Each structure stands twice: as structure tokens, then as C-alpha cells.
Amino acid sequence: MKLSLEVNKTLHELDVPPNTLLVDLLRVNLALTGTHVGCDTSQCGACTVLLNNRAVKSCSVLAAQIEDCKITTIEGIGTADDLHPMQVAFRECHALQCGFCTPGMIMQAIDLVENTPNLDKRGIREGLEGNICRCTGYHNIVRAVASVAGAVD
Amino acid sequence: MQLFNYHKPTSLDEASSLYRMAEDPIYLGGGMTLIPTMKQRLASPTDVIDLSGIDQMRGVVVSRKSVSIGALTCHNEIANNAEIQSTLPVLSSLAKLIGDNQVRNRGTLGGSIANSDPAADYPASVVALGATIYTQDRTISGDVFFQALFETALEPGEIITRVEFQVPTRAVYQKFPNPASRYAVVGVLVADFAGEIRVGVTGAGPCAFRARDMEAVLNRALDPDGLQELGLSEVEFNSDLHASGEYRAHLLHVLVRRAIVELVALD
């Protein structure tokens, strides 16, 4: 089926089978491999991207569902020379170890900070429930998000 | 995931007609259950009919006595809608406990209710808050909507368009979430309608139900100690790797007790 959608501010016209998942469209059709597939069962959040500025798990969304929508992936928020403030905070706070969960974690964190009024550290911990990290133990991740949100304990 | 035909109708009539013409169709709401189910090949429909283009199924109408919510409304919209927060705060706080943020951004009220997952949160509110389920051409009382495990009163092809909840004097939702999935091991919604208590239960049995024996006791006196006289065997409690039936039966009492304590403190 023919689809048109905007990914990282670029309009794409694609022709994909109806059972294509958004994450496969991003990784295979558009070669945007920054979005990771972790569990592939909508538990881990590694595949989180922004759909019209809200975090979704792209392994559980059909490409067909998002005709004419706006998608933002980790590739769309900053460059190596001009990182997004959330990426800077993750680097400053050492909020990653292996880095596999990091793209999803950052996209989720951006949704939280942009869409949650009066975000505190508890709100950050609850807000990150859909993202699983198996290395760092979350503490530094919460610190990084809190530093961007200006959140206190 | 097996290949299927994808349709995105813009009206209820078009959706119904697509459903009638297809060999093995299924409706798609937010897809938070259906898509993982299809990926596991537990469902392999020939036709997926995406309801998200039907504007008639959107919108929130709040009055003093009721809150009517379009079936396509996602959990985060219900959690964050200022009118729902002020008129029916128990529903906003319940919605905030569903799954995780990403799921709440996609999953819909109608999809959750139509699925009748025994551990979903909304069903407790449907039975406790005297809800009415609106479909294309009829209304169904929340009291008779959930019939069995993943079974509802919906006929094949029938679509939930909106759900109307009655506004109680006060209400509390208490949930013991599975720590991994956030599904309710048991969840109870205790509502007080000007002195009449209703207790909606999810997670405990094959589908959501009202704990009528508890309601009878609490309507005599709103005192959790009164529940001690009740046995634990009102329904056939679910027993699985998360909790035994006996554990759930006990949990139901604990959560109703907590809900009453919180309810009385609300005023």
C-alpha cells in the first residue's frame, strides 16, 4: 500500500505491505537504525519514537496507521556537533552503559519533559516505566532527565 | 505477522459494511493488544479495519451527572483532560495507572473495553460507575457488558462508539499492579452514589464484575470491618503464574478495605 508520512521533517512516499511495522519501516525502508528493536513485544521501549510529538512503541504500531503523521526518531533531534539538550544531559550524567536502550529512553524523556507539567523525580521514574535498561540501574538516567526538566526530588 | 487487507473507513456505516464483506475481519482501535497478538499469530485476520478515522467516535462531553467519552479517546487524554479530572477524577487517576506512557498514548477506551481482558483497568469503572456502552445502533448497560474471558455483549461487527459514565458523589480506584506489566492482579473501584455503594472488580475473575455481596454489607454500614463476615468464594477467582485464586480473593478484600478508608477520607 502507498503511504505518505513525515519522518524527521522529511516527507516520504513509500509503498509497503499492510503488515509492515513502523519500526521496520524506519529501520529497513528508511535505514534509520538508531531506533532499536529490543524485546519486540512492546515491553522494553527500545523502539520508542515520537508520533505527533508523543512517545509510542514503534514495534506495536502499523506503518499503515500513521499515514500523514509526523514521526521523530533519535536521528531527528540532534547531530554529533549539535546534540539535543537531552543527549547532552545523558552524556554529562553518564546515563548509559551499553547504549542499547538509550535512543528509546531519550525519546520517551523528551515526551515526558515536553508534555508533563511540574515534573519531579518520582514523575520521571514513573514516566520511564515503559523503558527498560539492563545496565545502569536508572539512577543516572533519572538524574539526566531531571537536569533537563529542572526537576528536584 | 500474516498479511492482511488494511482498511481505514471514515464512517460507522463504511466500517460495518467492510466488516460484513470480509472473510475474517477485525476492528483496530489503538492496537496495543491487537498488534502484539497478531505478531504472535494468536490472531490472523484477513482484514484489519482501522477505526481511527471515524471522527464520530471522538470527543468528551462532561455534564454534572455524566461523562461521555468517545471510544477512540486514548488513556493519556482521559488522564490529562481537565474536565474529566474535575468531574470524574477517579477515571483520570485510573487511566494514569494503565500500562506505561507509550501505551497510554496509543491505547483507547473503546479498544480496552471491547477486549474484556480480565486484568484491564477500565472494566472496573464500567461496572462500578453505571456506565452505558453506545454502539452503532443500541446501548448496552455496563452491568451486563462483560460476559466472560475476552467476551462481551457485543455482536459480531458491532462497534463501541462512546461510553457514558455516571458521576458518583465520590469514588476511589485501588489497584495491585503486576510489577512488570502494570496489569491489575486485582483492581477495585468503589463508588458512592449519594449513599449507594457500588464495587467494581477487575483482575480477580474471568471478567469484570460487581461484588454485590460486598455492596450489600457496605450499604448497611460504610465500615470495612463489616466485610469480615463475608467468605471469599463469590466468584471463581483467576489462578495463574502471577497469583493463585486464594491470593486474589484475599487481595480483593484488602483493596476494598483500602478503598473504603480512602473514600471516607475524601468527602
Side-chain angles (χ1 to χ4, degrees), chain A residues 57-116:
Chain A
K57 290 175 176 172
S58 61
C59 79
S60 300
V61 176
L62 296 173
Q65 286 175 286
I66 53 159
E67 166 88 18
D68 293 333
C69 290
K70 195 176 84 176
I71 303 295
T72 311
T73 71
I74 191 75
E75 290 92 345
I77 60 166
T79 63
D81 298 328
D82 183 20
L83 293 176
H84 186 280
M86 193 63 76
Q87 292 172 306
V88 174
F90 269 60
R91 186 179 63 187
E92 294 298 317
C93 297
H94 190 63
L96 65 151
Q97 191 166 308
C98 85
F100 192 85
C101 72
T102 311
M105 205 62 89
I106 286 179
M107 301 316 286
Q108 169 78 299
I110 290 172
D111 175 3
L112 280 182
V113 171
E114 289 186 356
N115 295 306
T116 319

Side-chain angles (χ1 to χ4, degrees), chain A residues 1 17-19 21 40 42 48 51 54-57 59-62 64-65 108 111 129-131, chain B residues 1-4 6 8 28-32 35-36 39 50 76 80 99-102 105-106 182:
Chain A
M1 60 184 293
N19 60 352
L21 293 166
D40 204 17
S42 58
T48 300
L51 167 58
R54 299 309 294 253
V56 301
K57 290 175 176 172
C59 79
S60 300
V61 176
L62 296 173
Q65 286 175 286
Q108 169 78 299
D111 175 3
E129 276 180 347
N131 293 72
Chain B
M1 198 179 344
Q2 286 187 342
L3 205 54
F4 50 82
Y6 174 86
K8 194 169 178 181
L28 173 65
M32 292 297 91
I35 293 169
K39 285 170 72 177
D50 182 351
N76 262 344
N80 298 324
D100 52 48
N101 184 49
Q102 294 100 316
N105 278 335
R106 290 294 289 168
R182 306 295 177 204

Side-chain angles (χ1 to χ4, degrees), chain B residues 113 115-120 123 145-152 184-186 201-209 234-240 245 248:
Chain B
I113 290 172
N115 193 40
S116 186
D117 188 304
F145 185 77
F146 301 105
Q147 300 197 331
L149 191 72
F150 298 110
E151 264 187 55
T152 68
V185 178
V186 175
V201 183
T202 191
C207 62
F209 62 93
E234 187 189 10
V235 291
E236 200 173 307
F237 286 90
N238 295 333
S239 199
D240 54 31
R248 281 192 167 88

Side-chain angles (χ1 to χ4, degrees), chain B residues 20-179:
Chain B
R20 278 194 303 273
M21 288 187 296
E23 184 190 333
D24 183 15
I26 197 155
Y27 290 129
L28 173 65
M32 292 297 91
T33 297
L34 181 58
I35 293 169
T37 306
M38 287 168 62
K39 285 170 72 177
Q40 292 175 298
R41 301 208 175 191
L42 295 170
S44 300
T46 58
D47 293 75
V48 170
I49 303 168
D50 182 351
L51 302 176
S52 68
I54 305 176
D55 289 340
Q56 199 185 330
M57 294 170 62
R58 296 189 182 278
V60 175
V61 180
V62 175
S63 73
R64 209 161 48 82
K65 287 190 168 171
S66 69
V67 173
S68 179
I69 303 176
L72 287 172
T73 310
C74 77
H75 312 327
N76 262 344
E77 285 177 77
I78 292 175
N80 298 324
N81 181 295
E83 279 190 298
I84 300 176
Q85 282 175 346
S86 66
T87 306
L88 192 57
V90 70
L91 198 67
S92 293
S93 58
L94 175 149
K96 210 176 170 184
L97 298 175
I98 299 173
D100 52 48
N101 184 49
Q102 294 100 316
V103 167
R104 292 192 294 271
N105 278 335
R106 290 294 289 168
T108 64
L109 171 66
S112 169
I113 290 172
N115 193 40
S116 186
D117 188 304
D121 295 280
Y122 285 126
S125 66
V126 168
V127 294
L129 297 176
T132 304
I133 316 291
Y134 287 76
T135 72
Q136 294 105 312
D137 41 30
R138 65 167 176 155
T139 60
I140 307 169
S141 159
D143 274 345
V144 297
F145 185 77
F146 301 105
Q147 300 197 331
L149 191 72
F150 298 110
E151 264 187 55
T152 68
L154 292 171
E155 297 292 335
E158 202 167 11
I159 299 170
I160 300 176
T161 56
R162 53 198 310 111
V163 182
E164 186 177 271
F165 298 91
Q166 300 308 306
V167 175
T169 316
R170 49 187 178 169
V172 169
Y173 183 60
Q174 275 280 348
K175 167 186 182 179
F176 188 87
N178 176 296

Side-chain angles (χ1 to χ4, degrees), chain A residues 28-50:
Chain A
V28 178
N29 295 73
L30 301 180
L32 294 170
T33 52
T35 301
H36 292 166
V37 179
C39 66
D40 204 17
T41 55
S42 58
Q43 320 277 326
C44 79
C47 65
T48 300
V49 300
L50 300 183

